[in-house]
Amino acid sequence: MEIGKIPNQILEETVLNKLKIKRTEMLKTAGVGEDAAVADFGDNLIVMSVDPITGAAENIGALAVHISCNDIATEGAEPVCLLCSLLLPPETTLEQLEKIMEEMAYEADKLNVDIVGGHTEITDAVNRVVITTTVLGKKLNIIKDDPIETNDLIVVTKSLGLEGAAIIAHDNYEQLKTVLSDKTLNEAQDLIKEISVVKDGLLAHQYGAKYMHDITEGGVLGALWELGEATGRGGTIFKERLPIKDCVKKICNILKIDPLKLISSGSMLIVISQSDYISLQKEYRKYNIESQVIGRIADFKDIFLSEGDNLTAISAPDSDELYKV
């Protein structure tokens, strides 16, 4: 099979259909287009998510914290604590381990998240560092289930390809500096500072978001396809409205990869009513969070990408463009 996330069809047919949920506490469980599970523990709902970091070499500690915390935020929940599993190849040095843990501790502290446990192991079962993080979050036991309606807005925060471009600029700096300026590469490296969408998600939840999805592997096109699968709704996306920074465009052009299929942690996909988005947009501006309406929910089944006079149905994602690099 191809490197990357298991394709969604195989995930559904081979993995998810083996899971039998019996506990009455479980309100939401694993599914395509769903980033977190939710359990009812009385006064609070407990929100849970787990994710590995496998596609990066630099900043792996920081990424490991943010990717799972971001998933918690898609449910409008506050991340509380984190457990991590570190699998390290035999050539790992003590200095490398210390750097990873310093990164994790620093980023967790910024999010007010405690690292409370995990496992650390040297093993020849891996040939590069693999970090898996599990995050628990909480939110009040208030269930809002506003239906997604025709003409609801489809919104993204910040811009697309942030994580992928940052990883490429860090891990392939020496190769890229022969064809791209230091300014472009430094700008791309700095995108690592924008990876968190916790604030994006918490504010969107407060202002009535009906669905949220952290844009990770498969990029925005993968996330939009998963939106359709998770909600059963279709829509139209306008390609010219998709926000992509110049440094991301330049890196993708040089490497001949598609920024719309590039891992994009740092951007939250949101479905929200027009009236609620007007209020949310004002709140986002207070925190300097950029957002962009990229399309609308429609009556038809699939989600289509509109470019000029052409409409193309968005299909299930393949392996992320990052793995081509």
Side-chain angles (χ1 to χ4, degrees):
M1 294 192 290
E2 289 187 1
I3 292 174
K5 284 175 62 176
I6 296 292
N8 286 302
Q9 182 178 351
I10 296 176
L11 185 67
E12 289 183 306
E13 295 174 354
T14 310
V15 179
L16 296 180
N17 70 355
K18 303 291 192 298
L19 306 180
K20 309 300 180 185
I21 307 301
K22 298 178 289 185
R23 301 286 306 209
T24 57
E25 294 93 340
M26 299 309 304
L27 302 181
K28 179 183 284 190
T29 57
V32 172
E34 301 291 354
D35 292 316
V38 183
D40 183 353
F41 277 26
D43 292 338
N44 288 293
L45 300 182
I46 306 301
V47 184
M48 302 156 281
S49 185
V50 59
D51 252 321
I53 288 289
T54 58
E58 293 293 321
N59 302 299
I60 190 170
L63 290 168
V65 170
H66 286 300
I67 56 165
S68 289
C69 289
N70 285 351
D71 285 345
I72 295 296
T74 65
E75 293 294 331
E78 175 192 0
V80 174
C81 62
L82 176 152
L83 299 98
C84 60
S85 168
L86 279 75
L87 300 180
L88 311 168
E91 62 271 18
T92 303
T93 66
L94 187 59
E95 289 75 20
Q96 288 173 315
L97 174 58
E98 186 173 25
K99 182 174 183 285
I100 289 170
M101 293 312 303
E102 286 175 349
E103 285 181 7
M104 294 188 70
Y106 178 76
E107 299 300 331
D109 184 62
K110 286 201 301 185
L111 295 173
N112 194 28
V113 171
D114 288 337
I115 300 176
V116 296
H119 175 78
T120 309
E121 178 180 341
I122 303 293
T123 174
D124 58 7
V126 298
N127 55 24
R128 62 192 300 170
V129 176
V130 175
I131 304 179
T132 302
T133 50
T134 301
V135 175
L136 302 183
K138 68 173 183 177
K139 68 177 183 177
L140 293 176
N141 192 350
I142 300 173
I143 304 296
K144 292 195 304 181
D145 192 19
D146 297 330
I148 293 175
E149 298 178 340
T150 300
N151 289 324
D152 279 346
L153 303 180
I154 303 173
V155 175
V156 294
T157 62
K158 304 194 188 86
S159 61
L160 304 171
L162 297 178
E163 181 184 2
I167 290 172
I168 291 168
H170 275 284
D171 292 359
N172 300 275
Y173 184 86
E174 292 301 318
Q175 299 96 310
L176 289 173
K177 73 177 184 180
T178 62
V179 288
L180 292 172
S181 69
D182 287 341
K183 181 176 181 291
T184 295
L185 291 174
N186 290 337
E187 286 177 359
Q189 288 181 339
D190 284 345
L191 296 178
I192 201 74
K193 301 172 184 176
E194 301 182 35
I195 294 300
S196 176
V197 291
V198 170
K199 195 69 176 179
D200 312 32
L202 292 178
L203 289 174
H205 178 71
Q206 291 175 24
Y207 282 84
K210 299 180 178 183
Y211 173 86
M212 287 187 281
H213 189 18
D214 177 28
I215 305 176
T216 54
E217 283 200 35
V220 68
L221 295 186
L224 287 165
W225 184 85
E226 290 175 350
L227 159 65
E229 289 292 296
T231 66
R233 298 301 304 258
T236 302
I237 305 300
F238 301 98
K239 188 173 182 180
E240 70 272 12
R241 298 185 67 86
L242 295 172
I244 307 172
K245 291 183 180 292
D246 284 342
C247 62
V248 176
K249 290 179 182 178
K250 289 176 181 178
I251 286 174
C252 290
N253 286 338
I254 287 293
L255 297 174
K256 295 181 172 55
I257 58 175
D258 187 347
L260 304 185
K261 298 179 180 179
L262 181 62
I263 189 168
S264 296
S265 291
S267 182
M268 183 75 89
L269 180 67
I270 302 167
V271 177
I272 189 170
S273 72
Q274 181 167 309
S275 59
D276 285 337
Y277 178 61
I278 291 171
S279 300
L280 173 62
Q281 195 175 35
K282 292 178 181 177
E283 193 68 14
Y284 272 166
R285 286 171 181 154
K286 294 179 184 178
Y287 294 92
N288 296 315
I289 298 173
E290 297 176 351
S291 62
Q292 174 73 47
V293 176
I294 63 169
R296 289 181 180 269
I297 296 296
D299 288 327
F300 41 76
K301 179 183 178 183
D302 293 327
I303 295 184
F304 287 83
L305 185 65
S306 173
E307 185 177 9
D309 296 329
N310 297 319
L311 280 178
T312 305
I314 295 174
S315 57
D318 296 320
S319 182
D320 193 277
E321 296 289 89
L322 180 65
Y323 296 111
K324 294 180 180 179
V325 182

